[in-house]
Amino acid sequence: MDIIHYEDESSRYITIGCVEKPLCMLACWVEDPNGIYFKKHLARIDYYVWVGEDGIKMQGFGSQVWDTS
């Protein structure tokens, strides 16, 4: 959990990508569902998931590099 908290604080709870975000958020919830770490993750959820005209959207950072590789 120390590594997860370090990553969260370093990225201000944005984390490095859309796959890592739910995993870190889940780990914080398991640690303490009413804790400050989980609440900080919830506050940043809108950076990743929103409802668009054609459905639910999810933001990813840098996936184009992996896709083209």
Side-chain angles (χ1 to χ4, degrees), residues 45-65:
I45 235 19
D46 290 342
Y47 284 75
Y48 290 95
V49 180
W50 67 94
V51 177
E53 292 178 3
D54 56 345
I56 294 176
K57 306 286 187 178
M58 179 177 244
Q59 175 69 34
F61 298 110
S63 68
Q64 296 85 4
V65 174

Side-chain angles (χ1 to χ4, degrees), residues 16-29:
I16 62 170
C18 58
V19 173
E20 184 183 6
K21 173 70 173 174
L23 294 176
C24 290
M25 190 167 66
L26 179 63
C28 290
W29 179 80

